[in-house]
Amino acid sequence: MASKIFRISCPRSELDLNITLQCGQSFRWRRVSPGSEKWRGVVGNVVWTLSQDDSYLICQPHFSHSQYTTPYFSQHGRKRKKDMELGIQIKPTNSEKVLDCISEEQVDEVFRNYFQLDICLEKLYKSWAEADSNFALVCPQFSGVRMLRQDPVENVFSFICSSNNNIQRITMLVDRLCKLYGSLLTTVEGTTWHSFPTVAVLAGDGVEDTLRAEGFGYRAKFIHKSAKQILERGGEKWLHSLRLLPYKECHSQLMSLHGVGAKVSDCICLMSMGHLDAIPVDTHVFQIAARDYLPHLKTRKTVTDKVYQEIGDHFRTVFGEYAGWAHSVLFSADLKIFQALRPESQNGNKKQGIKKCKHL
């Protein structure tokens, strides 16, 4: 069916979809076609196609003829209910009424929340570049890298799937989880899209065995047991309530879930709990830290609790209260998929690039 187009004022320097949506934060976004600048994914249990020009984020929703949003998504003002998720609450009888139900204001609010557009990246990038010469060289090629504000349920179970995994395989597992236990949302250009499973569904009987049969391995046990734990503590309401806790307490509560270690807990704290100075330290980040910031760590072979804390504290000292965002820019700049954007790739002199900037 024909779909309405919404435009949100947002310069490309404040949001780069191509980097933000494929740097390992969320695993539900796909390019519409190879090489396309359009992305398709699910926000607020609505399937969206996103694109951008130099001045606007362009949003196109897709609905089935009888789609309903799930109960935990509704229209909440950011100032009144900042701890809740934003979405579009509709009960249409046909596709035309769906489109009539959506306002520009709703769409603007949903994506301002999801991309945290009220945070000005230009000011942050300037302060980070002044604080760190590595960042100063990276930032011109990696502007617009934003942290998403994700639904905690999706964030928790997606990152349980991330254990000892790469982005491509995590994406495959998350997609499989949605197809197995989510609700059908709609079909767009031959591809079916499903909602993310609820905690109650993932806590159900037989889930662990099914997930093992579907290739989740030991993560099947973690997903099922964590879902049961969350359900016992109050379900999705409890998980959302963690946003109100101080960082250390939130981090500790998340680590009490099966399959959630320090790194996964920090990913969740940073990407859905609002703790923007959280620093997830995996092997990749450890290598960046040892190479560019804390050379004495080169003699260490493993990331101990002490080393983990030292790396996080160093990034927080250098980059301040939004250290997790700055860390994400440096992390993105080091990914192989963005190699062509690196300074040394653009000037054609790799050695010169490395000499100028140890990080790269």
Side-chain angles (χ1 to χ4, degrees):
M1 73 178 182
S3 190
K4 199 171 180 180
I5 304 294
F6 300 88
R7 298 168 69 85
I8 298 173
S9 179
C10 179
R12 194 182 294 267
S13 60
E14 285 291 313
L15 170 63
D16 187 311
L17 289 177
N18 292 332
I19 300 177
T20 300
L21 297 183
Q22 62 175 333
C23 66
Q25 296 186 59
S26 173
F27 306 98
R28 301 202 67 197
W29 290 97
R30 308 173 186 171
R31 288 187 188 271
V32 170
S33 60
S36 172
E37 294 296 305
K38 291 185 177 182
W39 291 85
R40 190 163 290 147
V42 180
V43 178
N45 279 357
V46 173
V47 179
W48 299 88
T49 297
L50 302 183
S51 59
Q52 64 185 148
D53 57 28
D54 289 339
S55 302
Y56 291 93
L57 173 64
I58 303 163
C59 312
Q60 181 181 17
H62 306 276
F63 295 96
S64 69
H65 288 270
S66 58
Q67 183 175 342
Y68 290 72
T69 55
T70 55
Y72 65 91
F73 275 104
S74 58
Q75 187 181 3
H76 294 284
R78 285 167 305 189
K79 294 181 180 179
R80 292 183 293 108
K81 296 283 185 180
K82 198 169 183 179
D83 60 311
M84 298 295 289
E85 285 306 306
L86 293 174
I88 294 173
Q89 187 175 34
I90 50 173
K91 288 190 176 181
T93 55
N94 58 55
S95 57
E96 287 73 24
K97 287 189 176 182
V98 172
L99 295 177
D100 291 341
C101 287
I102 305 175
S103 69
E104 293 275 359
E105 183 181 10
Q106 282 180 304
V107 176
D108 183 85
E109 191 169 14
V110 167
F111 284 104
R112 285 197 171 278
N113 175 73
Y114 186 70
F115 288 114
Q116 306 193 75
L117 295 178
D118 289 339
I119 296 174
C120 179
L121 270 190
E122 183 180 0
K123 292 181 180 178
L124 290 176
Y125 270 56
K126 182 179 179 181
S127 66
W128 295 333
E130 291 172 352
D132 177 40
S133 59
N134 282 340
F135 191 92
L137 189 61
V138 168
C139 66
Q141 289 76 32
F142 288 87
S143 62
V145 181
R146 306 193 71 89
M147 294 306 307
L148 306 176
R149 188 173 191 267
Q150 301 180 57
D151 169 55
V153 175
E154 179 175 334
N155 199 203
V156 166
F157 292 102
S158 293
F159 275 88
I160 289 177
C161 290
S162 75
S163 176
N164 295 314
N165 241 333
N166 57 49
I167 292 176
Q168 184 177 3
R169 179 161 168 76
I170 301 165
T171 300
M172 180 190 70
L173 291 179
V174 170
D175 182 60
R176 190 171 296 171
L177 192 67
C178 294
K179 287 179 178 177
L180 285 168
Y181 293 110
S183 300
L184 177 64
L185 295 177
T186 190
T187 299
V188 184
E189 297 179 353
T191 299
T192 57
W193 293 86
H194 296 74
S195 64
F196 200 87
T198 64
V199 172
V201 169
L202 293 177
D205 294 339
V207 168
E208 181 180 343
D209 291 340
T210 297
L211 292 181
R212 283 190 182 276
E214 291 290 337
F216 284 76
Y218 62 85
R219 303 172 193 86
K221 180 178 180 180
F222 293 158
I223 290 169
H224 187 231
K225 285 200 169 184
S226 287
K228 291 180 71 174
Q229 283 180 293
I230 294 169
L231 202 60
E232 290 166 358
R233 298 174 188 184
E236 290 155 0
K237 185 177 180 180
W238 172 80
L239 199 56
H240 279 81
S241 75
L242 298 185
R243 286 176 165 171
L244 304 177
L245 299 179
Y247 163 67
K248 288 186 178 180
E249 189 174 349
C250 179
H251 190 268
S252 177
Q253 289 286 331
L254 289 167
M255 282 189 65
S256 70
L257 299 175
H258 286 276
V260 177
K263 189 265 292 189
V264 168
S265 180
D266 270 323
C267 286
I268 300 164
C269 283
L270 176 61
M271 298 171 191
S272 65
M273 294 296 172
H275 296 293
L276 305 183
D277 61 345
I279 306 293
V281 180
D282 59 5
T283 302
H284 189 73
V285 173
F286 169 74
Q287 291 171 346
I288 292 173
R291 186 177 65 231
D292 305 332
Y293 296 98
L294 300 167
H296 66 277
L297 295 182
K298 291 179 180 179
T299 60
R300 300 296 183 94
K301 295 182 179 180
T302 59
V303 182
T304 63
D305 291 344
K306 183 179 179 180
V307 168
Y308 189 103
Q309 187 67 42
E310 181 181 4
I311 293 172
D313 288 344
H314 183 81
F315 275 93
R316 282 184 280 269
T317 298
V318 173
F319 297 112
E321 63 177 320
Y322 290 94
W325 283 46
H327 143 280
S328 185
V329 178
L330 297 174
F331 178 86
S332 299
D334 218 58
L335 293 176
K336 290 182 179 180
I337 57 174
F338 301 128
Q339 186 173 3
L341 298 177
R342 299 177 187 177
E344 70 270 20
S345 298
Q346 294 190 351
N347 65 26
N349 189 333
K350 187 174 182 179
K351 289 184 179 180
Q352 182 180 358
I354 292 177
K355 185 177 180 181
K356 281 186 177 181
C357 180
K358 293 183 293 179
H359 171 72
L360 301 174

